[in-house]
Amino acid sequence: MTHTPMSRRSLLGWGSLAALGATVTGAGAAQAKAQFPNPGKETPLAAIRSYGDMITQLERLASNSRYPVTVRTLSQIGTAESLSEQGRELYVATVGTGDTPVWVQGRIHGNEPYGLDSTMTVLQSLATSGRREWQQIRDEFTVHVIPCYNPDGSEANIRETILWDRATDSPRLDADGEQRRVDLNRDWAPDAFVARESLAWYEYWAMVQPAYALDIHHQGLKTDRETGEAITFSLGISLAPGGPTLPGIEGGLYDVQTRQMQSHVWLETDHLGFISTDKYDVGYGTVIDIRGGVVSAMMLGLDYNGMNPSGHSNPAVFFETSGNTRDGNIGHKARGKMVRQNVLGLTAWLDGLASGEIFEVDPTVWDDQIPGTPVLQYFTDWGGIIPA
């Protein structure tokens, strides 16, 4: 499939964003202004990075990076399903020489765009920076970066993917004549895998068998329920810590490790004045225990259709940043800081894993120090609302 050339705006944007990833932690980052601009109600779609922009940047990194970056499509890798519903190629970039694979993905929801920007910014640093922290990450890991998990939804500026009839080159319709859409982050379940993208990425995950994974999302504009101040960054674990599912996996190991991961990210970024962080929820006292989500299925060690016979599993977490295009609150005024908080969180996560510092963190930091509402109930995709 052909793609559009990268615009001058995009080229300038990638360059400025790359600078944000140059430092993993340190005094330079801490001197940011203690203010997060109001993103406004406009959604400047022309300024949002496109699928074509991503391909152009990936190709440039593959050919010109200081440290080797391998860019491949799932068609080249050879998964049984290898294209999106509408026939777009699915891209992954790998960097690093370590024996331990790590999985990082963005834009599984097409109207949540800055996961693409954030993962590409970190990839740029992995490809070009000689700093000790980035070298340690490259030495310890092979990082698999999926900047745009859902290219069809991204190009259509919708959350889901549209199921597609390739024979007629048109959407598949339901009984009411409406487009059939699938939320790709609910499609890794024993009775799911409706979308081609889900099968393609699942097979690749089963091939890679990553040790750790992180997914980047948006959550709209969130405010502190007591102060009314903006929450710009939420830390999520899709199988609720201490909830009905996670303590039973790997003898409770992932219940500990996911808390350590997110606690480390919070400890490394909370001092930055422009970031206001809490624990992710979907309403006062309501946290998720979603088993059909991608990172949930990774932790559960899902063996779909015999593709994961060893039962491989890995701990995984996610970020939620402010704004999304659906609600029209992702204006360019706050774009730089929306991306920057993801970049700082992601680099802290990678650095903490590579150095081992994450596993020295007291997991009770998650429960006792990171702001959040009391857990009163679990919102599930398997049993409705479950009281805590």
Side-chain angles (χ1 to χ4, degrees):
M1 175 175 288
T2 59
H3 58 273
T4 56
M6 181 174 278
S7 64
R8 183 173 183 273
R9 175 191 289 119
S10 297
L11 286 169
L12 292 172
W14 283 119
S16 62
L17 287 175
L20 297 178
T23 303
V24 176
T25 56
Q31 295 176 17
K33 292 182 179 179
Q35 182 179 2
F36 199 95
N38 187 319
K41 296 182 179 180
E42 298 299 321
T43 300
L45 296 179
I48 290 175
R49 296 320 186 246
S50 71
Y51 173 73
D53 291 339
M54 177 196 72
I55 296 171
T56 301
Q57 180 68 3
L58 286 174
E59 291 173 346
R60 182 175 293 114
L61 284 175
S63 61
N64 297 324
S65 61
R66 180 180 178 185
Y67 301 98
V69 175
T70 300
V71 175
R72 294 185 294 172
T73 65
L74 294 191
S75 294
Q76 293 169 325
I77 292 168
T79 55
E81 286 286 356
S82 59
L83 303 175
S84 73
E85 281 288 322
Q86 294 180 40
R88 291 183 172 89
E89 295 282 2
L90 301 173
Y91 281 82
V92 60
T94 56
V95 60
T97 57
D99 293 333
T100 302
V102 174
W103 181 287
V104 175
Q105 69 179 45
R107 211 163 184 183
I108 193 171
H109 292 141
N111 60 358
E112 300 176 5
Y114 295 157
L116 189 160
D117 295 70
S118 306
T119 55
M120 287 298 298
T121 301
V122 170
L123 180 61
Q124 174 93 11
S125 293
L126 284 166
T128 61
S129 177
R131 289 178 61 92
R132 178 190 59 80
E133 297 91 339
W134 293 109
Q135 186 60 56
Q136 184 175 40
I137 293 167
R138 288 190 296 268
D139 289 343
E140 292 290 328
F141 299 140
T142 297
V143 185
H144 297 250
V145 180
I146 300 164
C148 189
Y149 185 107
N150 178 11
D152 293 353
S154 299
E155 291 297 282
N157 189 35
I158 59 174
R159 176 182 175 90
E160 310 90 349
T161 194
I162 301 170
L163 298 185
W164 206 256
D165 186 332
R166 291 181 180 169
T168 62
D169 195 27
S170 61
R172 292 165 58 185
L173 305 179
D174 62 20
D176 297 321
E178 300 294 329
Q179 292 180 354
R180 291 184 60 191
R181 298 185 180 187
V182 172
D183 184 339
L184 295 178
N185 203 34
R186 299 293 184 273
D187 202 31
W188 276 32
D191 59 350
F193 290 95
V194 176
R196 292 180 173 98
E197 294 91 332
S198 299
L199 281 167
W201 288 122
Y202 173 80
E203 183 177 354
Y204 184 63
W205 169 79
M207 290 178 177
V208 171
Q209 297 194 348
Y212 314 105
L214 188 146
D215 190 11
I216 298 180
H217 291 261
H218 289 253
Q219 64 178 347
L221 298 184
K222 185 177 184 180
T223 57
D224 185 283
R225 293 172 177 84
E226 294 182 359
T227 67
E229 295 180 357
I231 300 294
T232 68
F233 195 49
S234 293
L235 304 174
I237 301 170
S238 60
L239 296 174
T245 304
L246 196 54
I249 300 174
E250 295 293 319
L253 177 65
Y254 296 171
D255 200 7
V256 173
Q257 290 184 340
T258 53
R259 297 184 207 217
Q260 290 176 310
M261 290 177 184
Q262 296 291 45
S263 296
H264 177 78
V265 170
W266 182 75
L267 290 167
E268 291 295 306
T269 60
D270 183 59
H271 63 287
L272 306 177
F274 73 94
I275 301 177
S276 175
T277 306
D278 75 350
K279 290 177 285 195
Y280 180 71
D281 61 55
V282 292
Y284 183 84
T286 304
V287 296
I288 59 172
D289 197 88
I290 301 294
R291 296 179 182 175
V294 169
V295 294
S296 301
M298 289 181 178
M299 289 192 281
L300 287 162
L302 177 66
D303 178 21
Y304 180 75
N305 208 24
M307 283 191 273
N308 182 30
S310 68
H312 170 77
S313 64
N314 58 267
V317 294
F318 66 93
F319 296 161
E320 297 272 355
T321 199
S322 298
N324 58 58
T325 63
R326 178 184 63 249
D327 300 328
N329 52 26
I330 202 164
H332 64 275
K333 289 183 179 180
R335 173 181 171 276
K337 289 186 177 179
M338 287 179 180
V339 174
R340 188 181 185 196
Q341 63 187 6
N342 280 321
V343 169
L344 292 170
L346 177 52
T347 51
W349 181 77
L350 286 169
D351 185 47
L353 287 171
S355 67
E357 291 179 8
I358 276 178
F359 305 110
E360 298 173 1
V361 174
D362 184 344
T364 64
V365 169
W366 169 268
D367 304 287
D368 300 336
Q369 297 186 41
I370 304 176
T373 62
V375 178
L376 304 177
Q377 57 188 9
Y378 305 107
F379 179 85
T380 80
D381 59 352
W382 51 268
I385 302 295
I386 307 294

